[in-house]
Amino acid sequence: MIDCKDRLKDLGVVVVIPTYNNHATLLGVIDEVACYSNDIIVVNDGSTDGTADILATKQGITLISYAKNRGKGHALKVGLRRAAQLGYRYAITIDSDGQHYPDDIPLFIDQIEKTPDALIVGARNLTADNMPGKNTFANKFSNFWFKVETGKTMQDTQSGYRLYPLKKIAGMRFVTPRYEFELEIIVRCAWKRIPVINIPIKVFYPSEEERVSHFRPLRDFTRISILNTFLVIIALLYYYPVSFFRALTKENIRQFIRDHITHSKESNLRITLSVGLGIFFGIVPLWGWQMISAGLTAHLLRLNKVIAVAVSNISIPPMIPFILYGSLAMGGLALDKPTLLPLSSISIESISGCMYQYIVGSVILAVVASVVLGTITFVMLNFFRRNPL
């Protein structure tokens, strides 16, 4: 234990314990944590039970307390901010309801020594005795959306037993105040390319009659669902396109061509169809859903999903003005309308008509572009590759 305290001190680690009306378990959690760390911050999130009296008896801890309950997310943000102000490099957060085992703290230290400045999330055993069924469902639900939003797979995205890299998250502003904060922060850390890692931890769930939970299923699940909606939109419109653009290095392009074209075992025709499919979905007005649509359709048609998804990024910012103008021009030809309306004739009706013209034109442009560029691709493949059909 002394060794663990020294390791935490050397690494600059503090333990943050947010608490709200957990007077029955709080003292035991603090005392057990104190066996592993001399640096403890407790955030009393407006508790109305005997929490204040318990904390008044404790020496050697940094106490943050305020009268009104603001939610777990707010308590965590306050605790992490204080930890950073005190000069710590990392903060381990542990719930005060007794479900986490402080003797797992060395596991976080072992991992952070291997992967400095990572965000480490304790992965609970979801088959443990007394694990509430709603927790298992909620975690699987959260894991699914985390993968949609980041492209990364995690075993447990909801555990509150974590190690945060304070310097890496410094300056980040978060909008969520309650339980959903723990989802927001790991998604945004993943977007910032901060490694987000699961490590296995123990978990204890008391019987239902002894369990104290401040999670309100309807209210909190609604908050989490709203957050996921916004995160998915941001991921589709910003994170994935930017990540794709950043990945366009010479080496990555060479590797892509080598793996999926020159050294691919697929026929020239199937590669061509994959390219054409990607171009089609990259142009049609499925704002934010082009890559997912291209990937799913390629999967159903048994085409190359990687090529289809990659090519669907034809709608990256430098190409958008050309795609918009081309769509309006194609729509104008099809509907016998001018490509652009003069400013003097703009009205609500004309804007509606312009949108219709754009949608019709974008579908036509998508078909034409996929056929033309697909044909060029097929000719080039036959010239350079000469694979059988």
Side-chain angles (χ1 to χ4, degrees), residues 297-319:
T297 306
H299 176 74
L300 292 173
L301 297 177
R302 298 186 178 181
L303 297 177
N304 190 306
K305 295 186 287 293
V306 176
I307 291 178
V309 170
V311 176
S312 70
N313 282 276
I314 190 174
S315 57
I316 56 178
M319 294 296 296

Side-chain angles (χ1 to χ4, degrees), residues 272-294:
T272 298
L273 292 174
S274 301
V275 170
L277 183 72
I279 291 170
F280 177 82
F281 280 107
I283 295 177
V284 292
L286 297 173
W287 305 287
W289 294 90
Q290 288 98 333
M291 288 186 292
I292 291 179
S293 301

Side-chain angles (χ1 to χ4, degrees), residues 76 86 171 203 271:
L76 286 170
L86 294 174
V203 64
I271 293 175

Side-chain angles (χ1 to χ4, degrees), residues 108-263:
F108 288 87
I109 304 308
D110 292 340
Q111 184 62 51
I112 204 62
E113 288 177 337
K114 298 175 185 175
T115 54
D117 293 318
L119 194 165
I120 304 171
V121 181
R124 301 161 295 176
N125 177 10
L126 298 181
T127 63
D129 292 341
N130 292 329
M131 170 66 79
K134 63 182 180 182
N135 288 44
T136 302
F137 168 78
N139 189 58
K140 290 180 179 178
F141 179 86
S142 180
N143 295 349
F144 168 79
W145 286 111
F146 178 81
K147 185 168 185 177
V148 171
E149 292 149 6
T150 67
K152 305 178 188 300
T153 300
M154 290 191 71
Q155 179 185 347
D156 191 345
T157 54
Q158 289 198 316
S159 171
Y161 205 174
R162 304 179 175 191
L163 184 148
Y164 290 100
L166 298 175
K167 292 183 179 180
K168 290 292 183 179
I169 64 175
M172 294 177 67
R173 294 188 177 184
F174 302 96
V175 299
T176 49
R178 297 187 178 272
Y179 283 101
E180 64 274 17
F181 166 77
E182 291 177 307
L183 172 61
E184 180 190 1
I185 192 170
I186 62 171
V187 170
R188 294 187 53 192
C189 282
W191 287 352
K192 286 192 66 174
R193 298 187 175 183
I194 298 172
V196 182
I197 301 169
N198 273 143
I199 61 170
I201 59 168
K202 302 184 293 292
V203 64
F204 169 73
Y205 276 99
S207 59
E208 188 171 354
E209 57 272 13
E210 298 176 353
R211 189 176 303 140
V212 177
S213 174
H214 304 299
F215 185 85
R216 300 294 180 264
L218 180 59
R219 181 191 65 184
D220 293 319
F221 192 75
T222 299
R223 287 175 178 269
I224 291 171
S225 297
I226 293 172
L227 173 64
N228 276 317
T229 300
F230 280 103
L231 291 177
V232 168
I233 292 172
I234 295 170
L236 293 173
L237 296 180
Y238 177 77
Y239 172 70
Y240 283 117
V242 169
S243 297
F244 175 81
F245 197 70
R246 286 174 177 169
L248 290 178
T249 63
K250 289 183 179 179
E251 181 54 37
N252 286 341
I253 292 173
R254 289 195 194 101
Q255 185 71 34
F256 175 82
I257 294 173
R258 186 164 53 246
D259 292 346
H260 297 282
I261 298 178
T262 59
H263 290 70

